[in-house]
Amino acid sequence: MEEQDYIELNTLLAKLRVFCLKEIGNPDISTSAREGNFKLIRNIDNIRNKMPLIIGDGTIEIK
């Protein structure tokens, strides 16, 4: 994975997380939709926090 691809992936995940947080704050959505947004946020956090990476020479590799 190129460094720019990794940056773009993190940007997209951050945007999705913000969208989910906004949906959770919306009083008009159902409880099941709210729970789905919580699950998405947890999955995004797991991807961003627990993915071991090797960074070097402008590339990023997953261990």
Side-chain angles (χ1 to χ4, degrees):
M1 177 184 300
E2 295 295 320
E3 187 174 340
Q4 187 60 36
D5 295 333
Y6 179 76
I7 292 168
E8 290 174 12
L9 174 62
N10 264 327
T11 301
L12 290 172
L13 288 173
K15 287 180 180 181
L16 178 59
R17 193 175 192 284
V18 168
F19 175 80
C20 289
L21 287 169
K22 286 181 181 179
E23 286 293 305
I24 289 169
N26 182 356
D28 297 329
I29 66 168
S30 67
T31 303
S32 62
R34 189 171 282 118
E35 288 173 2
N37 283 318
F38 276 121
K39 288 179 184 178
L40 270 173
I41 289 172
R42 273 188 240 115
N43 288 333
I44 291 167
D45 289 345
N46 285 335
I47 290 169
R48 293 172 78 192
N49 293 330
K50 297 182 180 179
M51 187 184 327
L53 301 174
I54 301 171
I55 301 173
D57 298 329
T59 62
I60 299 172
E61 298 176 26
I62 299 172
K63 286 185 182 179

